[in-house]
Amino acid sequence: MNKIIYPLLCVLLSSFSMAQVTQTVKGKVSDKVTGIGLPGAIVQLKSSSHTLHAVSDNNGFYKLQGVPVGRQSFVYLFTGYKPVPVSDVIVTSGKEVVLNIDMEESTVSIDEVEIKASSDTDVVSTMQVSNMKAFSIEETERYAGSRQDPARMAQNFAGIQGTNDSRNDIVIRGNSPAGLLWRLDDIDIPNPTHFAVAGSAGGPQSIINNKYLANSEFYTGAFPANYGNALGGVFDLKMRNGNNEKHERTFQLGILGTELALEGPLSKKSGASYLITYRYSTLALFGSVNFKLGTSAIPNYQDIGIRLNFPTKKAGVFSFSGIGGLSDINIILSDIHERPKELYGDQNRDQYFRTNMGVAILSHVYALNSKTVMKTSVAFSMQDISSRHYLVLRNDNFVPNDTLPQILNYAFLEKKSTLAWYVKTKLNSRNSIKAGFFVNRSDVSFYDKTRINSLFDTVAQAILDKPFKVREDANTSFYLIQPYITYVHKFNEKLSLNAGLSSQILTLNNKYTIEPRASLRYQIKAKQAVSLAYGLHSQMQSTYLYYAIPDTLVKEGQRVPNVNREQDLKDLDFSKSQHVVLGYDFLVGKYFKFKTELYYQYIWNVPVYKVPSGVSALNRGATFTRFYPIYSMENTGTGENYGIELTIEKLFHKHYYFMWNGSLFESKYVGSNGIKANTDFNGNYIMNFLAGLEYTVGKAKKNTISFGTKFTYGGGKRYSPANIAASNQVMDVVPQDDKINTLQFAPYNRLDFRISYKINGKRAGIEIALDLINVMSTKNVLALSYAPDPANINADPLVKNYQLGFLPLFYVKVDF
């Protein structure tokens, strides 16, 4: 152990020096369409005190040495291409900075560029396309309350609801979070969260580690044709390559995880590199040494990320990307023998929950010529979820019975093999085409059985004598095939069109879709732009739902008990939506941005019961429970989302930044009962305010201290009056069917605060950060749950569950 600690201490102690500390900034300058490197591009540091520039080599790579630590700005110039300003780049001493820049070819002739021309180029962020938010990994650390989680960071954007402290679900414009598509390095992946539940796209802790991510993109609707099988939005993540010239290490200790990241060259001659990250639950580490945490339900999780990159001289670039996570938690409530101050849902059972998830991607990128690139990927992913529940029966004094009858057992395994291919070519400066396909083979093994018990079942042996009801039993495979084509045409420097066609073919039931997409963007003036986007989108149902076994079959309008446990839902079609978005961007000043979007989304083909009911698949995907249908279902449900979003942002300049955004929206659905009702996600409004200050400190002004805050205020969660008699029969909340989501909890509000101190030494960089979540300890209602009192079973069994109180989170990170 000393062999590890002593060198680390030496590095840290030698970091404290009065000399000026600098770092290397490097990367690749590429054509935006093809990704092929641009030789001879000019890279210049924009600084009043330093004049540095570099020129990219024959493959587009550049290196800018001697860049002072701190926030810096750069400009990229290349003859015939639009200048690319990049601002707000944090340069630290512990790691080299890699900036890979895509440049867009101009449709008009541009004169030869001189270095001095860059002094007239404003270093501000460029306006983004409609419905897409490009984000840097630094944003996952800058914003208070983001917890270094890309999903929680996305909740800061306009139109995204972040009103559930316990989960990182991304609710986009009133859509279910299950309508989100996760993509990693051009491959669709399963829900990348620990403790994930089938049919969801979020959870309490992300598997994604921001230390291996490159700049990525987040779409909020009407997305291009190369994305499919999603109704709400797309989170398109990219893994970065490791440093191909220098070995670098990062160690981080924090409440949410203990982490180690390693990267460096595999071959300096070829430019091959590696990047490996590993994270383990810090709470589980504390628990393993019997450190008292105040609970026996310790979340045990670990995850890994791997990126290997192998460029060749003539055969293209080969790469491997992989992520994976293991997690389990045991919630043992039978050990509790004293009545808690507040009763909560699921206090009547012991739960053993385990989830595993993994993705492996092997890719090859090959340039056919100077304007055409082809990419082929082979991928394998899996998600394994299992759980066991045991009923805890208690007497009037809250003492549990010694016998714990099992009431739930399920094991879900879904494996997917993917072949992805595309070719993209730039015909000229005005026209480009991208065409490709995904072929996905899914192999599933689903099993679920449960015992249905009522409030009045109080004898353990009587419950054990009840037979299990099998709700799922499937071992099968099917294909989802997704061809697409996109075409980009620039009419001139101001007006551009992105059009495309996407399709999906599902062999499980031979359903298919054809989906046109199109968007227009018009640059009114240099600092103003308007955009219009349209998309027809479709999404298959959660895989497990196709194989679910309803209790009652509905045939020709007649209800028939499903005594033979038939699978009756395989013929469910894709759910579909049409999404229209009108956007306006205005760069008010050099550092102020204004953006607004107006949208409408109509959804149809939504699964609902074949009998009159308010149940709809649009309300699923944001809890820790799975939806199992009681009756046969059909694609006759509808829904609609519409609203307006506004963002005002002051970019970082003169030590501070801020961003305010607000959304007003409606989210409605119609079930088989014909009643137009609020969806579970219709909060009606959401507002975020984020701000931060940063100052350099110390005699050499090489260290920084920063402060950040975030305030969120949004409409409370929707809920329904409960049918108490029906709830008692199944020991769960059963809503009154004709009054679903007619009630609403008090508005959600939360104030977060963050402080960070960065030390830039010669050989290492240290960051100490503290996040204070819910500083005011606001009691926000999470849900209404079923929690009867064993001492008085005739009392109201419904209780309000509250979200997280005050939560301090810290981490210490060392780059060396």
Side-chain angles (χ1 to χ4, degrees), residues 372-561:
T372 305
V373 171
M374 178 178 68
K375 182 175 182 179
T376 306
S377 298
V378 178
F380 175 80
S381 64
M382 60 82 67
Q383 189 169 45
D384 185 12
I385 305 172
S386 63
S387 186
R388 293 173 290 119
H389 291 193
Y390 296 85
L391 186 64
V392 179
L393 300 170
R394 302 180 184 275
N395 62 23
D396 293 349
N397 297 320
F398 214 74
V399 177
N401 192 305
D402 291 336
T403 302
L404 304 176
Q406 187 178 32
I407 57 173
L408 176 66
N409 186 8
Y410 73 85
F412 282 12
L413 174 62
E414 185 169 2
K415 298 183 288 186
K416 185 171 71 172
S417 304
T418 300
L419 171 64
W421 176 87
Y422 71 73
V423 61
K424 55 184 178 181
T425 183
K426 184 166 67 172
L427 303 176
N428 49 50
S429 63
R430 294 178 181 268
N431 299 280
S432 62
I433 296 176
K434 179 180 180 179
F437 62 80
F438 296 89
V439 177
N440 305 285
R441 174 189 167 98
S442 293
D443 293 273
V444 301
S445 177
F446 296 150
Y447 186 77
D448 177 287
K449 64 178 183 179
T450 185
R451 286 189 175 106
I452 303 299
N453 305 285
S454 77
L455 175 65
F456 308 103
D457 291 324
T458 58
V459 179
Q461 188 57 51
I463 295 173
L464 287 171
D465 290 340
K466 288 186 175 183
F468 275 103
K469 179 176 70 174
V470 177
R471 298 187 297 187
E472 193 111 19
D473 187 5
N475 286 278
T476 188
S477 61
F478 59 88
Y479 287 87
L480 177 65
I481 303 169
Q482 301 168 285
Y484 65 88
I485 184 170
T486 63
Y487 169 66
V488 176
H489 175 68
K490 300 175 186 176
F491 297 93
N492 49 51
E493 286 292 281
K494 292 186 175 182
L495 181 63
S496 62
L497 167 70
N498 186 329
L501 198 64
S502 181
S503 180
Q504 297 197 95
I505 305 163
L506 182 63
T507 64
L508 186 154
N509 51 21
N510 295 322
K511 304 293 185 182
Y512 70 93
T513 67
I514 298 176
E515 307 163 23
R517 317 272 177 85
S519 65
L520 282 169
R521 182 174 178 83
Y522 180 66
Q523 197 83 25
I524 303 173
K525 295 181 179 179
K527 296 182 178 181
Q528 296 184 62
V530 64
S531 59
L532 178 65
Y534 165 80
L536 172 60
H537 306 278
S538 67
Q539 183 178 23
M540 62 179 286
Q541 311 307 322
S542 298
T543 309
Y544 83 94
L545 187 60
Y546 291 101
Y547 304 100
I549 302 173
D551 294 336
T552 302
L553 304 177
V554 181
K555 299 182 177 181
E556 298 180 354
Q558 300 298 314
R559 306 183 189 188
V560 181

Side-chain angles (χ1 to χ4, degrees), residues 481-661:
I481 303 169
Q482 301 168 285
Y484 65 88
I485 184 170
T486 63
Y487 169 66
V488 176
H489 175 68
K490 300 175 186 176
F491 297 93
N492 49 51
E493 286 292 281
K494 292 186 175 182
L495 181 63
S496 62
L497 167 70
N498 186 329
L501 198 64
S502 181
S503 180
Q504 297 197 95
I505 305 163
L506 182 63
T507 64
L508 186 154
N509 51 21
N510 295 322
K511 304 293 185 182
Y512 70 93
T513 67
I514 298 176
E515 307 163 23
R517 317 272 177 85
S519 65
L520 282 169
R521 182 174 178 83
Y522 180 66
Q523 197 83 25
I524 303 173
K525 295 181 179 179
K527 296 182 178 181
Q528 296 184 62
V530 64
S531 59
L532 178 65
Y534 165 80
L536 172 60
H537 306 278
S538 67
Q539 183 178 23
M540 62 179 286
Q541 311 307 322
S542 298
T543 309
Y544 83 94
L545 187 60
Y546 291 101
Y547 304 100
I549 302 173
D551 294 336
T552 302
L553 304 177
V554 181
K555 299 182 177 181
E556 298 180 354
Q558 300 298 314
R559 306 183 189 188
V560 181
N562 191 4
V563 293
N564 296 322
R565 311 305 295 167
E566 297 178 22
Q567 296 174 351
D568 187 53
L569 307 178
K570 289 184 180 180
D571 201 45
L572 288 176
D573 202 349
F574 293 93
S575 293
K576 301 178 180 180
S577 81
Q578 299 197 65
H579 205 155
V580 180
V581 184
L582 177 65
Y584 173 71
D585 291 79
F586 181 29
L587 195 60
V588 182
K590 190 173 181 180
Y591 298 100
F592 282 89
K593 294 199 302 184
F594 171 91
K595 182 182 182 67
T596 185
E597 288 188 346
L598 183 69
Y599 66 89
Y600 178 80
Q601 181 185 22
Y602 178 72
I603 309 171
W604 75 100
N605 258 29
V606 180
V608 295
Y609 285 157
K610 288 185 177 181
V611 299
S613 170
V615 171
S616 171
L618 287 182
N619 288 329
R620 307 304 165 190
T623 67
F624 290 101
T625 60
R626 298 158 301 144
F627 165 67
Y628 266 104
I630 300 173
Y631 299 100
S632 300
M633 303 189 79
E634 60 185 359
N635 295 94
T636 57
T638 61
E640 63 177 355
N641 300 309
Y642 56 90
I644 185 170
E645 301 166 359
L646 175 65
T647 299
I648 301 173
E649 183 177 5
K650 192 271 181 184
L651 304 174
F652 187 89
H653 181 62
K654 291 187 177 180
H655 306 294
Y656 78 99
Y657 73 89
F658 70 80
M659 179 174 68
W660 178 91
N661 60 60

Side-chain angles (χ1 to χ4, degrees), residues 333 335-341 343 347 394 397-400:
L333 299 179
D335 291 339
I336 300 176
H337 289 242
E338 296 182 1
R339 184 187 307 275
K341 293 181 180 180
L343 292 172
Q347 285 276 349
R394 302 180 184 275
N397 297 320
F398 214 74
V399 177

Side-chain angles (χ1 to χ4, degrees), residues 338-375:
E338 296 182 1
R339 184 187 307 275
K341 293 181 180 180
E342 293 181 335
L343 292 172
Y344 287 88
D346 291 343
Q347 285 276 349
N348 63 347
R349 63 189 64 191
D350 287 351
Q351 302 177 57
Y352 301 84
F353 186 45
R354 178 180 62 86
T355 66
N356 301 325
M357 176 268 182
V359 179
I361 306 168
L362 181 63
S363 298
H364 176 231
V365 178
Y366 184 74
L368 299 176
N369 52 52
S370 62
K371 293 187 176 182
T372 305
V373 171
M374 178 178 68
K375 182 175 182 179

Side-chain angles (χ1 to χ4, degrees), residues 265-276:
L266 291 171
S267 169
K268 291 185 179 181
K269 182 178 180 180
S270 68
S273 64
Y274 70 91
L275 170 62
I276 301 173

